[in-house]
Every structure is written in C-alpha cells, then in structure tokens.
C-alpha cells in the first residue's frame, strides 16, 4: 500500500519536503530514486497480504537483543487503513529489529538487480540497517548503511543498493564477504542501533521485488 494512504495529508506533504531536506547519500542514489518506474513503485504496495503486512512484508520482528518495546515478537500494529511497525530502543546498548524479506526465515531474495528501497519512517536518533545474507546471517559483522534521525517526523527516503553507500562498523566487525554477494542471497534487512530511539515504519518498498504472502 503506498505511503500516501497510510499518512494524513499534512504528514504526506511533510514527507515530500523532508526527503529533500535529508541530503541524498550520493548523486547516484538520487538518480536511482528518480529513475524508479512509477508502475513498478505502485506494484510494490498494490495488494497487501491477508495477514498484517507493510508492502507485503509480514515479518517485522523484535529479536530479543537489547532492551526494546516490544521485547520480542511482531512489531506490526494497526495504523489508519493499514499497519505500521513500531519499536522503542531503550538504554545505551545494541538493539535489533528484523524484517524477513521472504516472510519466512529460510527464504531469500536476489536483489542484485534492485536499485534500492524506499523507507517511510520516523526516528528520534540515527540508526542503521544491515543487509544480512542467508550464508552469513548471524553476528554483527554485516554491511550496513546509516539511517538519519527525522526528529520524530515521518519522512520518505530512498536508500540505494550501491556498494559505495554501504560500510561496516569496527565495533561490530568487518564482513567476510562482499556486498555484491549479499545482494544475491538477501534474507533480511535488520535495523540496529545503540542509543534510545523510537522507530515507526510505514513503508519498506524494495525496487523490483515483491515479497510472497504466506
């Protein structure tokens, strides 16, 4: 379901303005975002699943790592005519929230031809998203990109699958595989952060990929 149907009219306008205020990660990122076909964009949220989902992604989970609310289980809650995924990170420690791209743990997706993903979200502080491949699922030593704080306001931003936009943190360890290889066997997008934060997700629309409803 498009983000515009999930937010009030004023928030939609704010999202359009905010995406301009948040500087693009790179020039190619902006070009990729503009190049995303409108028809493909609509298809990503055209038909939600029969059970709670956001852009057909049904498994938004608190992993139990770090002090979070909820501590475990689904993050999906009713919001307007759809659903939002909400989680609060508490304390200065690492927290983990998981999205299974194929809606089950053993599934994986080939995102090697995807330009990236749209995220409509709000956050009180910066955090990160990791791209975790099936062959290297566990551990913190993953490729990641920073997701900026929005000051608690809903914004819509494009994050490209451009290797130059992804890095790793010495504290979590260096990945022993390439970012390109991770794209070919993507099992999940994992949101991590080390500071208290309130996260609210309304859209996660991946270019060229439609998750299977289960």
């Amino acid at each position: 379901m498009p983000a515009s149907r999930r937010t009030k009219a004023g928030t939609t306008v704010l999202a359009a303005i905010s995406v301009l205020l948040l500087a693009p990660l790179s020039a190619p990122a902006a070009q990729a975002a503009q190049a995303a076909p409108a028809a493909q964009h609509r298809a990503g949220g055209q038909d939600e699943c029969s059970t709670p989902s956001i852009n057909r992604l049904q498994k938004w989970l608190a992993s139990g790592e770090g002090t979070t609310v909820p501590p475990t289980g689904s993050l999906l809650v009713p919001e307007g005519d759809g659903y939002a995924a909400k989680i609060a990170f508490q304390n200065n420690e690492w927290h983990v929230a998981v999205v299974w791209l194929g809606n089950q743990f053993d599934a994986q997706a080939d995102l090697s031809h995807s330009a990236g993903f749209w995220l409509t979200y709000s956050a009180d502080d910066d955090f990160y998203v990791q791209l975790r491949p099936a062959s290297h699922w566990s551990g913190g030593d993953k490729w990641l990109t920073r997701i900026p704080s929005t000051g608690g306001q809903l914004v819509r931003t494009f994050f490209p699958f451009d290797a130059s936009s992804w890095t790793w943190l010495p504290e979590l360890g260096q990945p022993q595989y390439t970012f390109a290889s991770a794209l070919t066997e993507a099992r999940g997008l994992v949101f991590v952060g080390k500071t208290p934060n309130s996260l609210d997700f309304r859209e996660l629309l991946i270019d060229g990929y439609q998750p299977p409803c289960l």
Side-chain angles (χ1 to χ4, degrees):
M1 182 179 298
S4 59
R5 293 184 59 190
R6 299 183 185 284
T7 58
K8 295 180 180 179
T11 304
T12 304
V13 173
L14 177 60
I17 296 172
S18 298
V19 74
L20 297 176
L21 296 178
L22 289 174
L25 296 176
S26 64
Q31 294 167 1
Q34 294 170 359
Q40 186 179 64
H41 174 78
R42 288 193 299 271
Q46 194 171 51
D47 297 305
E48 289 291 358
C49 301
S50 59
T51 60
S53 64
I54 298 175
N55 299 113
R56 298 172 62 93
L57 293 166
Q58 298 166 285
K59 297 299 184 179
W60 297 71
L61 305 169
S63 72
E65 299 167 84
T67 307
T68 63
V69 179
T72 58
S74 178
L75 309 184
L76 292 171
V77 295
E79 185 72 41
D81 58 354
Y83 289 88
K86 299 185 180 185
I87 187 169
F89 293 169
Q90 300 181 330
N91 306 327
N92 291 302
E93 59 188 10
W94 284 107
H95 316 82
V96 179
V98 179
V99 181
W100 292 347
L101 297 180
N103 290 323
Q104 56 184 336
F105 179 73
D106 292 334
Q108 62 189 63
D110 183 355
L111 304 181
S112 58
H113 299 293
S114 173
F117 62 92
W118 286 99
L119 191 67
T120 298
Y121 72 103
S122 69
D124 295 335
D125 201 356
D126 293 356
F127 61 113
Y128 302 91
V129 62
Q130 298 176 327
L131 177 68
R132 292 202 182 188
S135 63
H136 295 81
W137 174 257
S138 299
D141 53 345
K142 303 294 179 283
W143 295 103
L144 52 76
T145 191
R146 183 178 66 89
I147 302 181
S149 166
T150 70
Q153 301 297 314
L154 278 173
V155 303
R156 188 170 191 260
T157 306
F158 185 78
F159 295 88
F161 286 142
D162 177 354
S164 64
S165 297
W166 294 71
T167 186
W168 52 276
L169 297 179
E171 181 176 354
L172 298 178
Q174 182 174 1
Q176 300 304 303
Y177 56 91
T178 65
F179 180 72
S181 70
L183 283 173
T184 65
E185 51 164 341
R187 174 174 285 175
L189 288 172
V190 178
F191 299 103
V192 301
K194 196 178 181 181
T195 60
N197 210 346
S198 179
L199 304 178
D200 183 345
F201 301 97
R202 306 296 178 90
E203 175 192 41
L204 202 175
L205 183 62
I206 303 171
D207 169 62
Y209 175 66
Q210 180 169 280
C213 290
L214 299 182

